């Protein structure tokens, strides 16, 4: 894998990358919700923030191939529920088309057929009379045209009822169906936050892997993450044996952690 891990402000670094040099972007920018990053100040006016998002997204568009996919992860705070939608409106005004909306479910409770309740995943409980615990974030799938083909079954799940495989012609006899737009992806359980996740806002490696599978270009994929953090997307790229990965991060310590994570990967 060609690997470029670049220290700097993505607004300055992205213009140095060739146009059309990446076919997949998976990223999670700061959310302007006052998160305590080491270097980046996560508080600005909403208008300034949205303007900044449009600037880096225009560069993402330039760097992306015509049939490329841009998976943008954004969450909200209970007191700031419109935030993801405001970012989405800013990015779809002139730059991108919203092709799919995914819900990254971090925690869920389901009732089994026998009536048992099972809870899975993790969430940060909030103490509030008016807001419920926030157990999901968005992953907006943005493209240049709105009609980029995806490998739905590459990211699919087995049929619950196997008789559907023979019943429906479109299965082609395969025990795989499209997973849909709800992705239950829990954070990995950790014992020490400082040692194992020394960053206030990461996404799971499995979230990126899911985007790569859906993108459907396999090992040929050239993946970019302009807000690398501690390198979860780079870990996904290495684990999946992708051809090329570029990551950009403002903070030298987070970038160093990303490099360490990659070195310790078998
Ligand atoms: C939400 S976090 C991304 C975390 C990452 N997905 C992970 O799993 O580790 C956003 C990251 O963007 C970085 N950042 C903020 N402004 C930046 C900029 N202008 N250029 C590059 N990175 C920036 C922050 O330091 C932070 O690590």
């Amino acid at each position: 894998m060609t690997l470029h891990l670049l220290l700097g402000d993505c607004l300055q670094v992205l213009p140095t990358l060739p146009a059309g040099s990446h076919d997949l972007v998976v990223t999670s920018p700061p959310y302007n919700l006052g998160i305590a990053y080491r270097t980046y100040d996560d508080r600005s006016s909403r208008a300034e923030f949205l303007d900044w998002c449009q600037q880096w997204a225009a560069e993402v568009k330039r760097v992306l191939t015509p049939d490329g996919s841009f998976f943008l992860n954004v969450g909200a705070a209970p007191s700031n529920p419109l935030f993801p939608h405001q970012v989405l409106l800013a990015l779809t005004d002139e730059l991108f088309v919203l092709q799919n909306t995914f819900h990254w479910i971090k925690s869920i409770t389901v009732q089994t057929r026998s009536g048992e309740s099972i809870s899975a995943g993790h969430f940060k409980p909030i103490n509030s009379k008016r807001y419920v615990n926030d157990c999901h974030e968005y992953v907006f799938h943005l493209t240049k045209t709105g009609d980029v083909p995806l490998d739905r079954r590459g990211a699919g799940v087995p049929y619950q009822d196997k008789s559907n495989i023979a019943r429906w012609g479109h299965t082609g006899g395969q025990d795989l169906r499209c997973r849909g737009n709800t992705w239950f992806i829990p954070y990995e359980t950790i014992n020490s936050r400082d040692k194992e996740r020394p960053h206030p806002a990461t996404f799971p490696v499995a979230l990126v892997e899911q985007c790569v599978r859906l993108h459907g270009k396999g090992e040929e994929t050239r993946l970019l993450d302009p807000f690398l953090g501690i390198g979860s997307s780079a870990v996904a790229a290495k684990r999946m044996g992708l051809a090329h990965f570029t990551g950009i991060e403002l903070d030298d310590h987070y970038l160093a952690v990303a490099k360490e994570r990659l070195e310790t990967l078998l």
Side-chain angles (χ1 to χ4, degrees):
M1 173 170 83
T2 352
L3 178 67
H4 295 302
L5 299 182
L6 308 169
L7 178 65
D9 179 342
C10 66
L11 268 188
Q12 257 123 55
V13 178
L14 283 168
T16 68
L17 305 180
S21 55
H22 293 75
D23 54 280
L24 179 64
V25 177
V26 182
T27 201
S28 179
Y31 295 173
N32 196 33
L33 296 174
I35 301 241
Y37 293 109
R38 277 172 43 97
T39 306
Y40 176 76
D41 179 2
D42 195 31
R43 277 184 203 283
S44 59
S45 76
R46 186 55 48 96
E48 272 174 339
F49 179 80
L50 295 176
D51 180 59
W52 176 73
C53 286
Q54 284 177 326
Q55 289 179 48
W56 59 254
E59 274 304 308
V60 163
K61 184 176 179 184
R62 188 188 63 80
V63 167
L64 201 61
T65 52
D67 63 348
S69 277
F70 170 22
F71 289 89
L72 175 71
N73 162 229
V74 267
S79 56
N80 218 328
L82 287 178
F83 170 75
H85 311 287
Q86 289 170 330
V87 174
L88 182 64
L89 288 175
L91 267 49
T92 52
D93 189 18
E94 288 180 359
L95 292 171
F96 286 102
V97 177
L98 176 64
Q99 192 170 317
N100 287 282
T101 299
F102 297 94
H103 298 268
W104 164 25
I105 310 292
K106 302 175 178 183
S107 166
I108 194 160
T109 301
V110 293
Q111 213 166 37
T112 65
R113 285 178 180 179
S114 63
E116 185 194 1
S117 272
I118 305 177
S119 296
H122 308 275
F123 60 89
K124 207 190 283 174
I126 55 168
N127 187 8
S128 169
K129 278 192 187 289
R130 55 182 175 148
Y131 300 127
V132 299
N133 292 328
D134 192 11
C135 301
H136 89 125
E137 294 195 13
Y138 292 94
V139 179
F140 297 122
H141 173 223
L142 301 161
T143 59
K144 293 189 181 187
T145 57
D147 65 0
V148 170
L150 295 172
D151 187 1
R152 289 155 42 110
R153 275 198 269 170
V157 289
Y159 281 92
Q160 176 88 28
D161 178 352
K162 305 295 182 200
S163 68
N164 285 330
I165 304 168
R167 185 172 319 133
W168 291 332
H170 69 258
T171 66
Q174 268 190 300
D175 185 11
L176 270 181
R177 66 165 175 85
C178 173
R179 176 185 296 261
N181 65 353
T182 47
W183 294 353
F184 172 59
I185 304 179
Y187 279 110
E188 284 153 34
T189 306
I190 51 172
N191 297 317
S192 157
R193 178 156 197 125
D194 286 351
K195 280 199 205 128
E196 295 175 63
R197 204 180 290 145
H199 188 285
T202 58
F203 51 36
V205 172
L207 183 95
V208 183
E209 291 175 340
Q210 185 65 5
C211 299
V212 173
R213 280 193 286 268
L214 197 53
H215 178 55
K217 301 278 193 296
E219 293 182 356
E220 300 294 298
T221 305
R222 290 163 294 153
L223 173 62
L224 165 70
D225 184 349
F227 298 99
L228 182 68
I230 57 169
S232 309
S233 49
V235 171
K238 190 165 177 190
R239 270 201 211 163
M240 299 181 90
L242 302 192
H244 179 92
F245 179 84
T246 305
I248 308 167
E249 171 56 49
L250 191 63
D251 182 82
D252 59 349
H253 177 66
Y254 295 154
L255 192 72
V257 175
K259 288 180 180 166
E260 271 172 38
R261 285 178 83 189
L262 287 172
E263 275 161 22
T264 54
L265 264 193
L266 292 177

